[in-house]
Amino acid sequence: MTAEGVADALLTWLSSHCNRWAGEYVSLKEFAGDDETLIQRAEDAAWLLQERGHVWVLESYVCSVAITDGGLHEADRILAERGNHGARFSFVLDQLIARAFASPDGAVRLQMFVATTIYLGEHLDVAVVLRAARSLCDYGLAVATPTEGHPATLTLTSRGEHCAMSGQKVNKYVSDQIPAAAGPVFTQNVYGGTAAQGVNVTQNVGVQADQLADLVQQLRGFAVTLPPADQEDFLVDVEVLEDAEQVPQARLSAGQRIMLALNAAPGAQAIAELVGQIMGALGG
């Protein structure tokens, strides 16, 4: 773990360990234990945090640190950002592309990626990495080589190489390659005037922001009825569906998985119909 990754972990740990009291000095040994390597990285992280005004460092054989009021606010921000599943997913997409592009063979080993990649001081869940790898394959940016039925290596395609060289985030790059999706088409009959027999009129109607916000609230309420092991993946899909900056393909895929969960649950048909309407708007 780099000093940057340790800094986020140390700051959130301090906030919790000190019960959100600023100014209380704590030995880094309490954070790192007897791991000399981690103690050294924690000291490097502490000096980095002091430069940012997030802690005070007291030098000794093993440094002690005290979190500042600014550090408490930053710890709160990190914790809130960790809960943003859409941001975490986008981070993994971008890191997979960057890591593969930096390797001599244009490939990234997923097991090593999981072991060495840190998001705001936390290790990534394997499930999130596998889903991101699958999305990159769906976008045509990479191909996966499986081992025992699971993707083990992700190799960039020529399109993936262009994405990496563009300097854009994956969602932005893919979005730029896809024409904007039209809204759903509704047909209505108009009578009177010159339309004595009635004529068909079509119009495109996009997704209303308040409709989407209401649906997202209902989906998050539904999530608590799912088994704990399924809740996080479901909430990730909800955030992807909600995020207008996600590419249409990603939002449609998330919507399809949400529909599967809803269709398997009794009494969720009304919510499923709303999801179907949103997906229709995204797909045109």
Side-chain angles (χ1 to χ4, degrees), residues 4 13 31 62 70-71 78-79 90 97 106 114 120 150 161-162 170 173 179-180 198 227:
E4 189 71 45
W13 178 84
F31 171 74
V62 176
I78 292 171
L79 291 171
S90 295
I97 289 286
V114 170
L120 297 175
H150 298 287
E161 300 276 359
H162 284 297
V170 170
Y173 177 84

Side-chain angles (χ1 to χ4, degrees), residues 212 240-244 246-255 282:
L212 182 57
V240 172
L241 182 66
E242 178 187 21
D243 188 357
Q246 296 280 347
V247 298
Q249 285 179 333
R251 297 177 76 189
L252 285 169
S253 295
L282 292 171

Side-chain angles (χ1 to χ4, degrees), residues 139 141 159 168-181 244-249:
Y139 298 155
L141 301 180
R159 190 171 183 228
Q168 294 180 311
K169 293 185 177 295
V170 170
N171 283 330
K172 173 64 174 170
Y173 177 84
V174 176
S175 180
D176 287 349
Q177 312 297 310
I178 303 173
E245 295 186 0
Q246 296 280 347
V247 298
Q249 285 179 333

Side-chain angles (χ1 to χ4, degrees), residues 22-74:
E24 179 182 341
Y25 280 92
V26 180
S27 171
L28 289 179
K29 196 172 181 62
E30 292 189 46
F31 171 74
D34 295 326
D35 187 333
E36 294 295 333
T37 300
L38 183 55
I39 289 175
Q40 183 57 56
R41 289 179 179 172
E43 289 187 353
D44 293 341
W47 290 113
L48 184 64
L49 289 170
Q50 179 168 269
E51 290 176 8
R52 297 172 180 173
H54 295 157
V55 303
W56 295 295
V57 179
L58 182 64
E59 287 191 79
S60 59
Y61 174 69
V62 176
C63 291
S64 295
V65 292
I67 195 167
T68 65
D69 288 330
L72 289 173
H73 289 305
E74 178 64 9

